[in-house]
Structure formats: structure tokens, C-alpha cells
Amino acid sequence: MAIKLSIEALEVIDAIDRKGSFAAAAESLYRVPSALTYTIRKLEEDLGITLFDRSGHRAALTEAGAELLKEGRYLLDAAQALECRVRRVATGVETDITIAVSDLFNFKPILDLLEAFYAQGLGTRVKLLREVYGGSWDVLQSNRADISIGAPGDAPPGGGFSTHLLGQLDFVFAVAPHHPLANMHEPLSANDIVQYRAVAAADSSRNLPPRTSGILSGQDILTVPDMQTKLQAQISGVAIGYLPKNMALQAASQGLLVIKQVAEPKPLGPVFIAWRQQRQTDMGKAMQWLLKHLCQLSLEQLLVR
């Protein structure tokens, strides 16, 4: 029986789903929209199913199309991994490397390092991702990244990761100067804190259970996309919570936040550079170079100020 589904067709379906239209997908794939339309119609005819509902403004997958894409993405990941592995075997250099960076960290020292990396002339394409909290582990476990900078706490169960400890991250409790807790007697108790809304940066994990920290049972929660938005929410006074000490001190020095002592402080949290475990002989030159130099960066250099 001839296989009617191709990697090219899966790439087209994936692009349309991510971009929301045939035109936007075509642009991202450097092709004309008519070529994508032909690919999808041909596949629909071959399989005898409808993949996209074209009645709305946005190209929406049908139930059958969504199932095809869900399973097809595993094939796309496998094909990309195979391509990279073959290239690495042939040349000793990775085709692509994806680096995930915690939302607590500044991109600048990483971009400075990449400038030196590109000067090596290895030809490896680099992709940077932004992840929040446990998403820094999820991105490795799901093979969406090769290196994760800022993976917090314990690795997911099952192992399979190598790590380099960057340091221990210190968090402090901070509120806006006009917030009711700002002038309350210290240390603040859990009963004091639970009465007011907390803000949390949403864990970006897709497959691992989302992690939470510093939220009390029964407390109202405002969820925001990242640590920078969390900082702004606390400065505005709409919510309260813990922030990395360096970030909170910077805001406090400008009179934007007040740091409060609490009866039950949040413990120090270890932060790692992590990557999937592999033998040194299986690691390409680009990965070796990047890990060597990334592990020379300090936590202080990386933290957002």
C-alpha cells in the first residue's frame, strides 16, 4: 500500500495551523499560497477526508485534521532529529540547535555569546525560545529544545538530563507602596497575605504538570504570561507576590515597590543550565562549544535587572 502522507504535507498543515491562514503559512514557508492549497486538496482527495474548515476567516482544522496534525508533529520532530543526526554523523556539526531561556533571564549575555559562536563558522542555525518556570524542563523533555538556560528546582522524574548549577535564586515578597500590606506590621503572616490577590507567571509547560510557587491555598490569583508582566502587576498594586531579589531591589530603589519581611520566607531555589543526557562522543561541535561557554556565564550576568 502506497503511503499518501508526506513530510512536506505535514509541514504545510503545521504552518497553516500555527499561522492561521494559507497566505501567512505560505510566507513562512517561502512558497506561494496556491502551492499550499494544491498540497492540502491533493492530500484531502488521497485520504478521502476534509482537513480544514474554510468557512471562517481563520483556517481551522477539522477534528480529523487536528488528529492528523497531533500525531504528525511526532513524525516532523522525528524527521528533523534524523536530519540533524545524519548531518552530525557526516560533519560532526549540528544543523540546528534550539536554546530555551527562562523569563527571569536577560537575552543580552546570550546574544553576546552567540556573536562569538557565529564567528566559529560552524554553520549551525540557532533558535531562541522564551519559557516560564517548569516550561524550561518541559521544552527539553518534549524535544523542543536542546539546551535550557534557567531550569528551576528538581528535574522531571525519569532522569535523562545533564545539568550545570548556575546558582541559588533568592526571592523576596514585594508590594506597591500604596497597597494595604505596605504599612502593615512585619513579619507578614500567611493570614495577612491570603486576604489579597497574588500574581503568578503562567508556567509554559505543554506536557509536564504546571508548577506553582508562593501561592497560598484559597488566595485569589491573577495569572500573567511572564515575570516582566508580574513585576508590572505588583508595581501597579493590582496584586502581590514574590520576585527575584535583584528585580525587586531595583524597583524598590526607584520607589516602585516595598519589600516586606514575611513569617514564612520562600526558600532559595537552585537554577540550572540543562540538556538531554548524551555521551560526549555523540555531541556535535556546536553543542560542545555552546555548553562550554554558556556554563561560564554566572547567574548574576544572566538575571534581568
Side-chain angles (χ1 to χ4, degrees):
M1 178 180 175
I3 297 176
K4 300 172 181 177
L5 185 61
S6 67
I7 295 296
E8 179 191 13
L10 287 173
E11 287 178 330
V12 169
I13 298 168
D14 176 64
I16 296 169
D17 179 64
R18 285 187 292 104
K19 298 297 182 179
S21 72
F22 281 68
E27 184 178 353
S28 72
L29 295 173
Y30 303 102
R31 297 171 66 181
V32 295
S34 58
L36 271 63
T37 301
Y38 174 80
T39 298
I40 295 301
R41 284 183 177 164
K42 180 71 168 59
L43 183 58
E44 288 178 327
E45 290 173 7
D46 289 344
L47 297 178
I49 61 173
T50 301
L51 296 171
F52 285 94
D53 178 359
R54 300 169 176 81
S55 60
H57 293 294
R58 181 183 174 92
L61 285 165
T62 62
E63 187 176 354
E67 182 64 20
L68 177 64
L69 179 57
K70 177 186 171 185
E71 298 300 321
R73 278 177 171 152
Y74 292 114
L75 295 177
L76 287 174
D77 289 342
Q80 184 179 41
L82 176 59
E83 177 186 318
C84 290
R85 191 158 60 248
V86 169
R87 162 78 183 274
R88 192 169 63 243
V89 168
T91 67
V93 179
E94 293 85 354
T95 307
D96 299 87
I97 286 182
T98 299
I99 303 172
V101 183
S102 165
D103 67 322
L104 299 177
F105 288 172
N106 187 352
F107 274 118
K108 187 179 185 309
I110 297 163
L111 294 172
D112 290 343
L113 188 148
L114 286 179
E115 186 175 6
F117 172 73
Y118 288 131
Q120 306 303 306
L122 295 173
T124 300
R125 294 186 296 266
V126 177
K127 180 179 181 181
L128 296 177
L129 303 177
R130 180 63 102 186
E131 295 294 330
V132 181
Y133 205 23
S136 295
W137 287 113
D138 183 275
V139 76
L140 288 178
Q141 190 165 77
S142 61
N143 291 316
R144 291 185 290 118
D146 302 289
I147 302 170
S148 182
I149 305 173
D154 297 329
F161 301 104
S162 297
T163 58
H164 164 78
L165 179 64
L166 280 167
Q168 302 285 338
L169 199 56
D170 195 3
F171 287 84
V172 295
F173 190 80
V175 302
H178 58 279
H179 192 278
L181 287 178
N183 297 313
M184 194 171 287
H185 181 72
E186 298 175 288
L188 300 178
S189 70
N191 285 336
D192 295 327
I193 295 169
V194 76
Q195 300 175 52
Y196 298 96
R197 182 183 306 106
V199 57
D203 190 302
S204 59
S205 294
R206 297 185 187 179
N207 301 303
L208 293 173
R211 302 186 184 199
T212 57
S213 178
I215 305 297
L216 299 173
S217 177
Q219 190 172 21
D220 185 24
I221 304 172
L222 167 65
T223 303
V224 296
D226 52 38
M227 188 59 68
Q228 285 299 316
T229 313
K230 175 174 161 62
L231 171 65
Q232 293 304 314
Q234 290 183 223
I235 289 173
S236 75
V238 73
I240 58 176
Y242 290 89
L243 290 167
K245 187 175 182 179
N246 68 300
M247 183 182 286
L249 287 174
Q250 177 76 10
S253 70
Q254 300 171 30
L256 301 173
L257 285 175
V258 175
I259 296 173
K260 301 290 288 184
Q261 299 299 313
V262 293
E264 300 175 22
K266 186 175 178 179
L268 292 173
V271 184
F272 300 93
I273 293 177
W275 60 97
R276 289 189 298 280
Q277 211 166 54
Q278 54 186 304
R279 293 178 302 177
Q280 189 77 8
T281 53
D282 292 336
M283 194 180 291
K285 295 175 185 175
M287 186 79 166
Q288 290 183 43
W289 193 99
L290 285 167
L291 284 175
K292 175 184 176 182
H293 291 83
L294 284 170
C295 289
Q296 291 173 0
L297 295 175
S298 68
L299 181 60
E300 195 64 28
Q301 284 176 281
L302 287 164
L303 285 170
V304 170
R305 300 185 187 285

